[in-house]
């Protein structure tokens, strides 16, 4: 009798272990999905590299990005044969500043703009979207009107007007973009919250008498988190491109800040003889935005547990 | 349906009033237009006189209502800098922007629909991967930088195309590509997703089983249905493109209303900026209103909700 039950429990235990071996742990599943997702990996690696460059800028940059040397104006980068300067690998700009150093410091500006804008617009959009989605009815109607009004405003034109009004500076650009780019956050958060509101365990929490803030923070928010991060990457890329375009037209970050968009503006008059002045900052912008997009696309695939 | 139409139209008008009110106060609260008009040499008395003349000494909401009342009758005031009627300045140039926007969205559709269809025919094949790869690269390319690179290659090195102006058709080639390619990734992905779904449906299987040629199944049966949401998205993109035309028109010196808004902002020419914001906002509002009404017409459940 005892032998029998011991044997049975042994068999039972063995079956359990067999199942455990067949069924990988959630973490190893996640790891496998991440490693199997090339766009996530490539995006993450490039993004990490650009982060490292931005943080280590003072160590990596061969020169001070603000140091002018009028005797060495517009020297060519290393792949040219004439008018090159060994000290300036990627040449110098119109006032003799080292181009490589300016490109390196430019990554700080773009990342700063991208992150701060994303944080501001993320908070505004999430609050609006979750409120509208959770409460519905009149609240939803009002928030929907605010979202539609925002969408009807031509962002670029109004951003330019705001920069003219409040004066062009890094802070103004961040605030203006942050106050404008929350529409996608709001739209996505609203629809996901609407779905999450009717889930059984949220209903259960409501039935148990949990307070509304508790339900929103503890029951709803974990549901919207993965979509939130995906939207955040999209908006970060968007903000970086808009800042570059604003600075390019002279309505953004002001000289002598090494912003990639501003460098494109400054290089424009030399496009005939020194096209690399335009090519290089653009390539940097392209790589950063590409990395963020790949990372975001990959993140969506990884978190949505789509079986490949 | 009539009640729904009325309600949506009312909301659309309300949105336009709020948008114009916000831009009006934004520009008038911060910058002093009297200083702009007077210029640097103006004395304190001149500035005071200008304030009286233009009515800048009145409260902001009175100024706004005054502006709104005139705007409704087509009078957008006079440009501070050019001393011309804003209505004339805008209507003279709006055609170029419309032409550019239309060409750009057509370019995007012509590129994205075949690519999306090709990708959908064999999901996860090499063609599909290449199409998606192009879409990912395209999405990361800054529009204005792409425009500058085209100018260097096609305008300066090879001298194929003119780099500025708006008089010949060739002036529109590069701006069209620069403005249009940015919409292609989104439109292509939607075509691809729609086609994959449609191609898996029962009626396509029936069409194939009937022995119709693959081309007929693909174009006559599948694409026709998959293309509807793509066209709807293209309409929304058309609205965005008018906004994007500011940078592109400025780079190519194509003097439409995008260029005009840039020029006006450089000179703090507020009446012009006001009018153009309203034009862009109206376009977006009208396009979405039409899309909503069309949706409600096609799916009557929407208007009852």
């Amino acid at each position: 009798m005892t032998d029998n039950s011991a044997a049975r429990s042994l068999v039972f235990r063995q079956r359990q272990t067999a199942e455990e071996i067949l069924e990988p742990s959630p973490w190893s599943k996640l790891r496998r999905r991440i490693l199997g997702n090339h766009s996530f990996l490539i995006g993450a690696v490039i993004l990490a590299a650009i982060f490292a460059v931005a943080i280590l800028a003072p160590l990596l940059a061969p020169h001070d990005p603000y140091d002018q040397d009028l005797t060495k104006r517009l020297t060519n980068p290393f792949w040219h044969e004439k008018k090159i300067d060994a000290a300036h690998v990627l040449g110098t700009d119109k006032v003799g500043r080292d181009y490589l150093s300016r490109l390196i410091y430019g990554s700080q500006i773009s990342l700063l703009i991208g992150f701060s804008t994303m944080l501001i617009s993320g908070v505004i959009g999430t609050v609006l979207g979750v409120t509208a989605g959770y409460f519905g009815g009149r609240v939803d109607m009002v928030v929907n009107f605010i979202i539609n009004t925002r969408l009807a405003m031509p962002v670029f034109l109004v951003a330019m007007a705001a920069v003219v009004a409040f004066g062009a500076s890094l802070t103004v650009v961040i605030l203006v973009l942050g106050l404008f780019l929350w529409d996608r956050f709001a739209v996505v958060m609203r629809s996901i919250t609407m779905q999450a509101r009717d889930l059984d365990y949220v209903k259960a929490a409501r039935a148990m008498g949990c307070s509304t803030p508790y339900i929103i923070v503890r029951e709803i928010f974990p549901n919207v988190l993965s979509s939130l991060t995906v939207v955040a990457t999209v908006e970060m890329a968007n903000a970086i491109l808009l800042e570059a375009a604003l600075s390019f037209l002279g309505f953004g970050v002001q000289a002598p800040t090494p912003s990639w968009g501003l460098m494109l503006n400054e290089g424009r008059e030399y496009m005939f003889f020194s096209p690399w002045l335009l090519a290089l900052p653009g390539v940097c912008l392209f790589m950063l935005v590409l990395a963020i997009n790949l990372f975001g696309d990959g993140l969506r695939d990884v978190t949505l547990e789509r079986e490949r | 349906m009539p009640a729904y139409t009325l309600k949506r139209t009312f909301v659309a008008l309300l949105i336009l009033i709020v948008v114009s009110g916000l831009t009006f106060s934004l520009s008038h609260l911060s910058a002093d237009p009297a200083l702009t008009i007077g210029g640097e040499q103006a004395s304190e008395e001149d500035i005071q006189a200008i304030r009286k003349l233009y009515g800048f000494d009145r409260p902001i909401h009175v100024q706004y209502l005054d502006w709104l009342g005139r705007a409704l009758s087509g009078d957008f005031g006079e440009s501070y800098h050019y001393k011309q009627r804003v209505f004339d300045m805008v209507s003279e140039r709006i055609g170029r922007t419309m032409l550019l926007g239309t060409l750009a969205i057509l370019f995007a559709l012509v590129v994205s629909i075949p690519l999306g269809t090709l990708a959908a025919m064999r999901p996860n094949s090499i063609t599909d991967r290449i199409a998606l790869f192009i879409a990912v690269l395209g999405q990361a390319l800054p529009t204005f930088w792409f425009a500058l690179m085209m100018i260097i290659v096609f305008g300066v090195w090879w001298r194929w195309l003119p780099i500025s102006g708006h008089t010949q058709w060739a002036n529109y080639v590069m701006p069209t590509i620069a403005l249009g390619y940015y919409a292609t990734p989104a439109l292509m992905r939607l075509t691809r997703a729609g086609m994959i779904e449609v191609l898996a449906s029962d009626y396509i299987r029936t069409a194939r089983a009937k022995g119709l040629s693959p081309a007929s199944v693909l174009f006559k049966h599948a694409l026709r249905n998959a293309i509807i949401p793509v066209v709807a998205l293209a309409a929304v993109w058309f609205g965005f493109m008018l906004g994007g035309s500011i940078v592109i028109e400025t780079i190519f010196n194509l003097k439409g209303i995008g260029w005009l808004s840039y020029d006006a902002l450089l000179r703090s020419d507020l009446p012009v900026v006001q009018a153009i914001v309203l034009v862009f906002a109206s376009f977006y509002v009208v396009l979405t209103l039409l899309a909503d009404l069309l949706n409600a017409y096609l799916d009557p459940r929407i208007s009852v909700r």
Side-chain angles (χ1 to χ4, degrees), chain A residues 145 148-149 151-154 156-158 160-162 164-166 241 244-245 248-249 251 261 264 268 271-272 275 278-279 281-283 285-286 289-290 293-294 297 300, chain B residues 11 14-15 18-19 22-23 26 30 136-137 139-142 144-145 148-149 151-152 156-157 163 182 189 246-247 250-251 261-262 265-266 268 276-277 280-281 284-285:
Chain A
F145 181 78
N148 279 320
T149 308
L151 282 172
M153 294 176 109
F156 199 71
L157 185 50
V158 180
M160 278 164 81
V164 169
F166 299 109
L241 285 176
F248 171 71
L249 286 186
F251 290 89
L264 286 168
R268 211 178 150 193
M271 74 154 89
F272 300 99
L278 290 181
V283 170
L285 264 174
F286 173 68
V289 174
L290 181 67
N293 285 349
L294 286 174
D297 279 358
R300 186 182 54 211
Chain B
V11 172
L14 205 59
I15 287 176
V18 174
V19 168
L22 281 175
T23 18
L26 173 73
S30 43
V136 169
L137 290 187
Q139 241 163 5
L141 209 55
F144 65 103
W145 183 67
L148 291 170
M149 291 298 109
I151 289 181
I152 290 177
V156 180
W157 289 353
I163 59 173
Y182 201 61
R189 280 172 196 235
I246 298 171
V247 191
T250 308
I251 290 177
S261 63
Y262 168 77
L265 278 165
L266 281 183
S268 301
I276 296 178
V277 168
F280 283 151
Y284 176 84
V285 166

Side-chain angles (χ1 to χ4, degrees), chain B residues 154-227:
Chain B
F154 299 112
V156 180
W157 289 353
W158 295 347
R159 297 185 182 279
W160 284 358
L161 292 162
I163 59 173
S164 86
H166 51 76
T167 42
Q168 330 151 24
W169 65 267
N171 285 125
Y172 284 91
V173 177
M174 285 199 282
T176 298
I177 298 173
L179 194 57
Y181 88 89
Y182 201 61
T184 48
L187 294 174
M188 196 206 88
R189 280 172 196 235
L190 195 63
T191 312
R192 176 179 176 274
M195 279 299 272
I196 287 179
E197 201 185 312
V198 169
L199 284 176
S201 65
D202 286 345
Y203 74 93
I204 292 296
R205 203 174 49 196
T206 313
R208 283 201 179 121
K210 276 199 305 189
L212 293 180
S213 72
S216 162
V217 171
L218 199 62
F219 296 112
K220 277 200 176 155
H221 291 75
L223 193 55
R224 246 191 223 182
N225 282 298
I227 218 168

Side-chain angles (χ1 to χ4, degrees), chain A residues 106-121:
Chain A
S107 63
Q108 290 183 342
I109 304 290
S110 279
L111 286 175
L112 179 67
I113 299 254
F115 267 103
S116 346
T117 305
M118 180 188 83
L119 284 180
I120 300 174
S121 55

